[in-house]
Amino acid sequence: MSFVDLTAQVMIAVPLAPLLAFVVVALAELGLPTPASERVVARSVRLGAAVALVGSVWLAIALARSPATELVLDRSPWFEVGHYKFAARLTVDSLSAIMLVLASTLTLIGVRFSVSYMHRDPGFRRFFALIALFEAGLMLLLEAGTIDLLFIGWEIVGLTSTFLIAFFHGRDAPLAAGLRAFVTYRSCDVGLLAGAVLLHHYAHTSAFDGAFGAGHWPVGTAHLEPHAATLIALLFMLAAMGKAGAFPVGGWLPRAMEGPTPSSALFYGGLSVSAGAYLLLRVAPLFAESMVARVALGLVGVATAVHATIVGRVQTDAKTQLTYASATQIGLVFVWIALDLRWLAIFHLFGHISLRTFQLLRAPAILADRHHRLGALGGAHVETGRHLERMFPARLRLRLYALARAGFDIDSLLDLLLVAPLLSVAHRAARFERAVTAMLVRPRTGRGSISSSQLDDEDLA
Amino acid sequence: MNYPFSLIFIIVALPLLGAALVKRSSGPDHARQIGGVIAGAVLLALAYVLLDVVAQDGGGRVEDPALALGWFGVRPLFGFDALSAVLALTNAITAFAVIVGAPRSRDERPRITTLLATEGLILTMLASLDLVILALAFACLVSPAGAHGPSRREGPDTTRLYRAVFIAGALPLAAAVGLISFANLGSLGPDVFDLRVISMLPHRGASVVLGLLMLTVLVRMALLPLHSWLPAMTQHGPLGPTVLLVASQSGAYLFVRVAFVFFPGDAGGLTTWLTLGGVASALYGGVISLIQDDLRRLIGWLSVSQAGLMIIGLCSLESDGVAGAVVYWTSYGTAVTGLALTVWAVQARTGTTTIAQLGGLVESCPRLTVAFAAFAVASVGFPGSLGFVGEDLLIHGVLDSHPLLGVLMLVATALNGIALIRALFRVFLGPVKIAAPADLRARELWVVAGLAAVVFGLGLWPRLAVDVVGLARLCIHV
């Protein structure tokens, strides 16, 4: 097998290995009479993550050695009808190579960390299955050579994220947090799918190197009509805002801390929220073509950074504080992309993801760390920070504190403006429909809507 | 290609014969055996027919031998092309799954009889090459369920509901067929009812016929404003036959088989009105499903929404839009059957489908939870399922030509997804409110796993399904 063929196989193996780990764990959980042991589950997922890491490093080296600017594996079409083809095209360029190595490294670390952290948790197998599926989705997202394939990875990441936020499902709060995240994802993903179809329509291809063909990342340019570039860029921005927890739709992000710490670290400390920034970097040539989109993205980035840094400063628990710190940095990355500083954005993203994941993984031991630090300093605590607060007069500082505690009521405002009217319409419609049903279906006295014969299930007797 | 004997007639008649046998069976076990064997045999036979259809160059038609019909000439009455063969196979899968995989009751002879009779009528409608037989089968589709269930002793009285659906679907169609015959009898002669040649002959249509057909399609597809019967039927009617009706999408079939034939092109402007009805249904169903408090009613509203999406694709008149609609047709039919089976299992175990009374079922039914989650994501077109392929084609077809419609479709699918995940969280997760005595039994598990294998297997390797649907698309005279 030649080096090129081997590299092609590695490109397939990177998302496939964690996917297989997911399938193995899921089938073992559902199909075996006795559940698989923690050791077997952890080893399966670790093996999948390790293969993904080795493969990612291989691809990075192969790209560095290759005279080409990208590695491409095209098994098109996945399916086709008439003139429409769904391209199955994987691409590794400098952007995806960096992100692949980083993401697979951090996932493997997160998986190893979770083996001890989740030990004897009743949801141990479910957790590892979801982490494996998440990694498969993320690897596909990063390797995707077309916007359609990226969408598939994007959706998998979103769904696993939802289930991991709602992981401790015995309580209501994680469920509400998970549902909020899903609603945000699903609403904003309309932008990604609409943008994908419009990109296909205007550029006559969904492949990134076809759509931004005049040079490869980071120097690609999109040859689209200005209005088309603006529209598509704004749609992608909407999708990125949802996934990254950007202002004003980031209310799900602090709530997402209801999930287990390792998944919080992987998802909201770094990798999942960075998928939004990755999408924007991937389609950065579109923003370069449209001043309107750049200004909009810059404003969103600044608003996210300012809002998150203020709100984050008044949080009382470490994980939430770190989440807001994460949102602050993502906001800044948005600004770099708006300014078309693509390499700065990716360096910033790399550093931010690494640091934040580490901080979140250490969050459960924050008190022990603090004692160690104080001990090392001889017991003296050096008070630092509060520079931003000092810029405001005392009275305003108090008011700002109250506002920040409430997150500036952005969620309430969104609920009031978007959710409440929608639900009001739904309730009115439901009342009308109940009245129509009452005309068609008449209740019998003392009988419910359920046929009692259906309750005499012989299997259950 | 003509079969040497009336194979298609036998396939179509088998479920009807089975229904008669089940009615006279000695007990529930015997009834189940007859139901399972008949449904399985029909499924295998239709798979064979589909292979036959696909094997022909370009996906031709297979027909029964011709019959002497007096003045109406000598012609076959039953046959399958790629479209009807695909839909018939999907329906056979649905019927088999519901007959074998549904929770059992002490005497389920009425249930199995109803299911087999409904399946027989659907297959008759799909296989018919004659306009009158098609119309008769179409009109009678709700009759078995209306006559048998839910049990006349228990549950609310749904007589008025079934009567209304029957009349609203049958009367306008009967009038339309009558007018078509009257207007074309002179010019077409004996071919007036022959669906094979009628599209190739010059014939006359009238706006009255168009209006009647539109009314029939709106009613049977449960499109706004004639939609309210479907959520009521899924909640209060027998779930099995209702699922068969939803999966068959008889209204859509009538639209492509009759409306497109008599009014080629944009079906005399019908597509515009149906598109509007489709958009309104997709959004209305999506919004109202957000607050549903009953799992069965939720399935009804999702079906209203999905029917809206499908008709938009069919009316887009774009190759990928129409193909997407047909893929959606088959994938949603299969996914909603799985969803309905899981809801049925919940009802059998807890005695309720009211969401507020349920919660934490995952503790006692982990397999049921996974099954519900899998079919929920499949029915809204999550990647990896066949629904994703259908949704992708559908949205490409529509968004290309009508960007605003495409965006509204995306909003509708987002709402449907949110409604289903909300239901999943509230019924299966959260604090335990009610405990189920058992998880999915082996029999139920095998059926559910089989349906999941179809939906996700074809979702991961869609080329086979899309190639067959590509042939089916060519059977629609757009």
Side-chain angles (χ1 to χ4, degrees):
Chain A
M1 188 183 282
S2 71
F3 182 77
V4 174
D5 291 338
L6 193 58
T7 303
Q9 299 302 320
V10 171
M11 285 176 84
I12 295 172
V14 167
L16 193 62
L19 184 66
L20 284 177
F22 162 75
V23 171
V24 166
V25 175
L27 287 181
E29 179 70 3
L30 293 172
L32 293 180
T34 51
S37 70
E38 282 190 5
R39 182 175 294 185
V40 171
V41 170
R43 279 190 180 172
S44 305
V45 177
R46 251 164 50 190
L47 181 64
V51 170
L53 173 59
V54 172
S56 299
V57 173
W58 176 288
L59 292 175
I61 294 170
L63 181 68
R65 287 179 46 175
S66 168
T69 50
E70 59 182 12
L71 307 171
V72 177
L73 174 66
D74 201 338
R75 294 277 163 89
S76 295
W78 191 30
F79 58 86
E80 62 180 314
V81 170
H83 300 298
Y84 173 67
K85 290 180 183 172
F86 190 109
R89 185 183 174 90
L90 299 177
T91 305
V92 175
D93 58 9
S94 47
L95 173 63
S96 45
I98 293 169
M99 291 298 289
L100 276 170
V101 172
L102 179 65
S104 53
T105 306
L106 292 181
T107 308
L108 186 59
I109 291 170
V111 167
R112 177 62 196 89
F113 179 89
S114 307
V115 174
S116 313
Y117 190 86
M118 300 299 291
H119 179 50
R120 291 200 171 182
D121 190 288
F124 185 92
R125 287 173 288 276
R126 181 161 44 95
F127 176 84
F128 275 84
L130 287 170
I131 286 287
L133 186 59
F134 158 73
E135 188 178 15
L138 186 65
M139 295 295 118
L140 182 62
L141 188 158
L142 296 174
E143 275 196 355
T146 69
I147 192 72
D148 297 327
L149 269 187
L150 186 144
F151 178 77
I152 293 179
W154 185 272
E155 288 287 289
I156 294 172
V157 167
L159 195 69
T160 49
S161 172
T162 301
F163 282 112
L164 278 166
I165 294 170
F167 184 80
F168 297 115
H169 55 75
R171 292 183 290 116
D172 285 325
L175 293 183
L179 193 58
R180 181 148 198 125
F182 186 77
V183 170
T184 309
Y185 288 161
R186 195 81 188 169
S187 308
C188 295
D189 289 354
V190 169
L192 182 55
L193 203 49
V197 176
L198 288 178
L199 184 66
H200 201 279
H201 177 74
Y202 285 109
H204 306 294
T205 177
S206 57
F208 295 120
D209 49 3
F212 315 132
H216 298 286
W217 207 91
V219 292
T221 49
H223 293 298
L224 296 177
E225 297 289 323
H227 72 277
T230 303
L231 179 62
I232 298 170
L234 289 176
L235 286 167
F236 285 148
M237 189 182 85
L238 174 68
M241 283 164 63
K243 196 68 101 201
F247 184 88
V249 293
W252 64 270
L253 193 53
R255 291 183 175 90
M257 295 301 113
E258 292 283 355
T261 295
S263 63
S264 300
L266 285 178
F267 282 66
Y268 319 111
L271 297 175
S272 180
V273 290
S274 300
Y278 176 81
L279 171 68
L280 294 178
L281 281 167
R282 182 52 77 200
V283 299
L286 282 174
F287 284 90
E289 294 292 308
S290 166
M291 185 50 74
V292 176
R294 287 172 71 176
V295 170
L297 182 62
L299 289 175
V300 168
V302 169
T304 303
V306 171
H307 177 263
T309 193
I310 293 174
V311 177
R313 280 157 199 269
V314 300
Q315 298 305 312
T316 50
D317 74 282
K319 277 175 74 178
T320 312
Q321 211 169 56
L322 288 169
T323 310
Y324 277 112
S326 182
T328 308
Q329 301 308 314
I330 290 292
L332 293 176
V333 171
F334 276 24
V335 174
W336 307 146
I337 298 169
L339 295 173
D340 208 19
L341 301 170
R342 301 179 197 180
W343 276 113
L344 177 59
I346 197 163
F347 280 128
H348 191 156
L349 203 57
F350 192 98
H352 152 67
I353 295 170
S354 307
L355 176 65
R356 214 61 65 194
T357 306
F358 168 75
Q359 285 180 324
L360 271 162
L361 286 178
R362 289 301 301 172
I366 195 163
L367 286 176
D369 285 353
R370 183 180 167 84
H371 289 311
H372 280 303
R373 200 166 54 244
L374 286 178
L377 291 169
H381 178 61
V382 183
E383 191 68 48
T384 58
R386 295 193 184 173
H387 308 296
L388 190 64
E389 291 89 329
R390 285 187 197 128
M391 290 165 60
F392 297 95
R395 273 184 67 185
L396 190 61
R397 216 182 292 167
L398 260 180
R399 188 163 290 178
L400 196 60
Y401 177 82
L403 276 171
R405 284 296 300 159
F408 289 87
D409 276 330
I410 298 299
D411 285 357
S412 311
L413 203 62
L414 281 178
D415 286 349
L416 191 73
L417 294 176
L418 296 176
V419 181
L422 189 70
L423 292 184
S424 167
V425 169
H427 282 291
R428 282 181 195 188
R431 271 200 298 277
F432 169 74
E433 295 296 340
R434 272 196 296 272
V436 176
T437 302
M439 285 193 290
L440 295 169
V441 179
R442 285 175 297 178
R444 291 184 217 259
T445 318
R447 305 285 185 186
S449 64
I450 298 157
S451 165
S452 67
S453 66
Q454 289 167 354
L455 304 181
D456 300 332
D457 191 333
E458 285 189 350
D459 291 342
L460 307 174
Chain B
M1 181 185 97
N2 279 80
Y3 285 122
F5 64 100
S6 299
L7 175 67
I8 298 171
F9 172 73
I10 293 170
I11 295 171
V12 166
L14 256 182
L16 298 171
L17 178 70
L21 289 175
V22 168
K23 207 167 185 180
R24 288 155 196 256
S25 59
S26 53
D29 282 339
H30 191 209
R32 277 178 213 134
Q33 284 166 1
I34 295 171
V37 168
I38 296 274
V42 170
L43 175 57
L44 290 176
L46 285 171
Y48 169 78
V49 168
L50 179 61
L51 286 176
D52 248 3
V53 170
V54 173
Q56 293 184 60
D57 193 25
R61 195 199 318 262
V62 292
E63 295 168 356
D64 272 353
L67 292 174
L69 299 169
W71 186 80
F72 291 104
V74 179
R75 60 186 168 91
L77 287 179
F78 295 102
F80 279 117
D81 59 12
L83 177 67
S84 51
V86 166
L87 298 177
L89 184 62
T90 310
N91 233 274
I93 292 171
T94 306
F96 180 77
V98 174
I99 288 170
V100 177
R104 291 175 170 175
S105 55
R106 288 197 183 123
D107 187 3
E108 49 189 347
R109 277 176 294 187
R111 179 174 72 83
I112 298 176
T113 305
T114 310
L115 284 168
L116 286 173
T118 308
E119 184 189 9
L121 288 170
I122 291 170
L123 293 181
T124 305
M125 178 190 79
L126 294 172
S128 173
L129 298 176
D130 184 275
L131 181 61
V132 175
I133 296 177
L134 186 151
L136 277 174
F138 177 91
C140 295
L141 279 183
V142 292
S143 304
H148 279 283
S151 169
R152 279 180 289 255
R153 291 172 290 112
E154 306 124 354
D157 181 5
T158 51
T159 315
R160 198 182 283 183
L161 171 68
Y162 280 94
R163 200 176 291 159
V165 177
F166 174 77
I167 292 170
L171 270 187
L173 180 61
V177 172
L179 283 174
I180 287 170
S181 318
F182 181 72
N184 295 292
L185 203 58
S187 57
L188 297 182
D191 291 327
V192 68
F193 296 131
D194 191 347
L195 287 171
R196 296 172 310 157
V197 295
I198 208 162
S199 61
M200 295 173 238
L201 300 174
H203 47 254
R204 289 197 294 271
S207 52
V208 180
V209 175
L210 200 66
L212 289 166
L213 283 176
M214 188 173 122
L215 195 62
T216 315
V217 173
L218 282 175
V219 170
R220 278 301 172 80
M221 286 195 78
L223 296 176
L224 243 66
L226 302 171
H227 60 282
S228 299
W229 65 270
L230 184 55
M233 199 180 276
T234 45
Q235 185 179 9
H236 299 293
L239 197 51
T242 310
V243 168
L244 289 191
L245 284 177
V246 167
S248 72
Q249 289 293 358
S250 53
Y253 189 72
L254 185 81
F255 176 59
V256 299
R257 270 292 182 259
V258 180
F260 272 149
V261 167
F262 278 91
F263 304 95
D266 66 347
L270 198 62
T271 51
T272 310
W273 291 104
L274 285 176
T275 301
L276 288 176
V279 173
S281 302
L283 289 173
Y284 188 76
V287 168
I288 212 166
S289 62
L290 288 177
I291 57 153
Q292 285 310 304
D293 197 34
D294 186 279
L295 282 174
R296 290 178 58 152
R297 200 168 171 81
L298 173 64
I299 290 179
W301 280 115
L302 285 171
S303 302
V304 169
S305 186
Q306 303 285 339
L309 295 174
M310 212 182 74
I311 199 72
I312 299 170
L314 283 176
C315 292
S316 70
L317 308 177
E318 299 281 336
S319 60
D320 35 3
V322 173
V326 179
V327 175
Y328 218 61
W329 195 335
T330 54
S331 69
Y332 183 70
T334 316
V336 81
T337 305
L339 205 58
L341 283 176
T342 56
V343 169
W344 203 340
V346 168
Q347 181 172 346
R349 282 154 178 76
T350 62
T352 183
T353 50
T354 305
I355 293 175
Q357 293 174 4
L358 296 164
L361 277 180
V362 68
E363 297 297 335
S364 46
C365 306
R367 287 173 177 166
L368 186 57
T369 307
V370 172
F372 184 90
F375 288 115
V377 296
S379 59
V380 293
F382 190 76
S385 68
L386 188 58
F388 172 75
V389 178
E391 194 180 297
D392 188 68
L393 288 168
L394 203 62
I395 288 169
H396 266 278
V398 177
L399 205 66
D400 263 356
S401 48
H402 310 288
L404 181 63
L405 278 185
V407 172
L408 292 177
M409 286 171 76
L410 288 172
V411 172
T413 58
L415 292 172
N416 291 341
I418 291 167
L420 277 172
I421 292 294
R422 171 184 168 271
L424 172 72
F425 277 19
R426 293 186 65 180
V427 172
F428 291 95
L429 308 183
V432 178
K433 289 184 184 170
I434 196 164
D439 201 352
L440 282 179
R441 296 295 184 184
R443 172 181 54 83
E444 297 168 310
L445 191 63
W446 278 111
V447 170
V448 164
L451 286 174
V454 171
V455 174
F456 288 99
L458 290 176
L460 291 170
W461 291 277
R463 198 177 285 189
L464 173 69
V466 172
D467 286 350
V468 175
V469 165
L471 297 176
R473 176 179 64 86
L474 300 175
C475 304
I476 300 174
H477 303 281
V478 294

